[in-house]
């Protein structure tokens, strides 16, 4: 659908703001999406953007409605995995599982199929089927040494499922593999590994004077740029030195 030039520019500006803010300020992105939606509700790209903005703010029913509208307009199946994840968000994992078995999945590209597998595994976990979730994530994409955009998230999800199943050693291995593939920091695999190893990072002071301390099993291992001894000990040593000097002078007198 074509729009008058001025209207199209207004819509485009709002969509740009949605894309810019959706990660750092999803509520603000949602507000811009609603403006775009009021201006051009018959444009598929606007419905899709509104869907992602609603999804980012956990308004899953609204997001699902927008994704369905976009799909009707375009006939594309690209949004199928996120639509299934909306069903999970609405507390309907069985519907997400049903969608994972629909013919639309076969029409997805490789990235979409991996995303659908992640959603299906999440639905299994929602239903308490942790072993089935682990099996769902297994496949050639997980076993491959080739690094693809989805690799960190797939490995991370597998590690997280293994950990829930009590398979800690395997979980540590796969969190490590996720970290190796995660060049953009899209997961917190490094934090999960540290947690498994009993490492905790603590701010010793307030935000203005934060000093990073590494703790392992409750013991402080290192403090960045911390001098040896504390201020109280140094002050006490200085006072003793002063007293010695004064005492020496009195003896001589």
């Amino acid at each position: 659908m074509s729009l008058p030039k001025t209207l199209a520019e207004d819509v485009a500006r709002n969509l740009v703001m949605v894309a810019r803010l959706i990660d750092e300020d999803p509520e603000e992105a949602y507000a811009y999406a609603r403006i775009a939606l009021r201006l051009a509700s018959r444009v598929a790209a606007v419905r899709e953007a509104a869907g992602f903005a609603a999804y980012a703010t956990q308004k899953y029913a609204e997001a699902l409605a927008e994704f369905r509208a976009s799909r009707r307009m375009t006939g594309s199946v690209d949004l199928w995995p996120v639509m299934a994840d909306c069903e999970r968000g609405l507390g309907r994992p069985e519907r997400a599982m049903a969608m994972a078995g629909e013919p639309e999945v076969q029409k997805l590209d490789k990235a979409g199929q991996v995303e659908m597998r992640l959603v299906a595994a999440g639905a299994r976990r929602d239903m308490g089927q942790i072993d089935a979730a682990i099996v769902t994530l297994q496949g050639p994409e997980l076993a491959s040494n080739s690094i693809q955009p989805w690799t960190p998230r797939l490995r991370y999800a597998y590690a997280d499922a293994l950990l829930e199943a009590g398979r800690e050693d395997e979980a540590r291995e796969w969190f490590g593999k996720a970290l190796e593939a995660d060049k953009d920091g899209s997961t917190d695999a490094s934090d999960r590994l540290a947690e498994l190893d009993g490492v905790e990072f603590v701010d010793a002071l307030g935000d203005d004077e934060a000093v990073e301390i590494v703790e392992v099993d409750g013991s402080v291992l290192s403090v960045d740029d911390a001098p040896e001894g504390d201020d109280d000990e140094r002050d006490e040593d200085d006072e003793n030195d002063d007293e010695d000097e004064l005492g020496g002078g009195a003896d001589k007198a």
Side-chain angles (χ1 to χ4, degrees), residues 220-240:
V220 177
L221 294 185
S222 65
V223 181
D224 291 344
D225 302 325
E228 294 183 2
D230 58 26
D231 292 340
D232 292 340
E233 291 175 347
R234 288 196 301 276
D235 290 344
E236 185 177 342
D237 291 340
D238 291 342
E239 290 176 1
N240 291 336

Side-chain angles (χ1 to χ4, degrees), residues 130-177:
I130 185 59
D131 291 336
I134 290 172
V135 172
T136 299
L137 292 167
Q138 293 171 346
E141 295 84 10
L142 182 67
S144 175
N145 290 323
S146 174
I147 305 301
Q148 302 296 333
W150 61 77
T151 303
R153 292 179 60 238
L154 182 60
R155 291 179 178 180
Y156 182 94
Y158 189 61
D160 196 43
L162 288 169
L163 187 61
E164 184 176 338
R167 296 158 63 175
E168 186 172 309
D169 289 342
E170 293 173 85
R172 181 182 285 103
E173 176 187 355
W174 280 96
F175 277 128
K177 290 182 177 181

Side-chain angles (χ1 to χ4, degrees), residues 20-166:
R20 183 178 299 171
L21 294 169
I22 196 164
D23 291 328
E24 60 186 57
D25 191 346
E27 289 291 346
E28 190 69 13
Y30 176 77
Y32 279 105
R34 297 304 300 175
I35 295 172
L37 195 58
R38 287 197 299 270
L39 293 174
S41 61
R42 295 185 180 182
V43 175
V46 171
R47 304 302 290 265
E48 181 176 333
F52 278 110
Y55 179 81
T57 54
Q58 300 182 8
K59 298 176 176 66
Y60 296 117
E62 185 177 330
L64 185 57
E66 297 300 341
F67 290 143
R68 284 172 174 167
S70 177
R71 182 168 180 264
R72 285 195 300 269
M73 293 175 181
T74 63
S76 172
V77 298
D78 291 348
L79 296 172
W80 197 254
V82 72
M83 289 169 63
D85 206 39
C86 286
E87 295 286 6
R88 285 187 61 213
L90 291 168
R92 303 189 295 236
E94 67 285 348
R95 292 194 184 183
M97 283 304 307
M99 291 179 68
E102 294 291 335
E104 283 82 356
V105 176
Q106 302 306 315
K107 300 176 184 178
L108 294 167
D109 61 13
K110 179 59 68 177
Q113 290 180 4
V114 171
E115 191 66 33
M116 192 70 240
R117 184 174 296 175
L118 288 167
V119 173
R124 291 289 191 190
R125 293 181 67 172
D126 293 343
M127 294 186 287
Q129 302 172 3
I130 185 59
D131 291 336
I134 290 172
V135 172
T136 299
L137 292 167
Q138 293 171 346
E141 295 84 10
L142 182 67
S144 175
N145 290 323
S146 174
I147 305 301
Q148 302 296 333
W150 61 77
T151 303
R153 292 179 60 238
L154 182 60
R155 291 179 178 180
Y156 182 94
Y158 189 61
D160 196 43
L162 288 169
L163 187 61
E164 184 176 338

Side-chain angles (χ1 to χ4, degrees), residues 145-218:
N145 290 323
S146 174
I147 305 301
Q148 302 296 333
W150 61 77
T151 303
R153 292 179 60 238
L154 182 60
R155 291 179 178 180
Y156 182 94
Y158 189 61
D160 196 43
L162 288 169
L163 187 61
E164 184 176 338
R167 296 158 63 175
E168 186 172 309
D169 289 342
E170 293 173 85
R172 181 182 285 103
E173 176 187 355
W174 280 96
F175 277 128
K177 290 182 177 181
L179 182 60
E180 289 175 2
D182 192 3
K183 305 304 182 184
D184 300 325
S186 60
T187 72
D188 64 346
S190 60
D191 293 339
R192 299 298 298 276
L193 274 172
E195 182 181 337
L196 284 172
D197 291 332
V199 178
E200 182 180 0
F201 295 91
V202 181
D203 284 342
L205 303 176
D207 292 338
D208 295 336
E209 302 179 277
V211 177
E212 193 172 70
I213 298 177
V214 181
E215 293 188 9
V216 178
D217 296 332

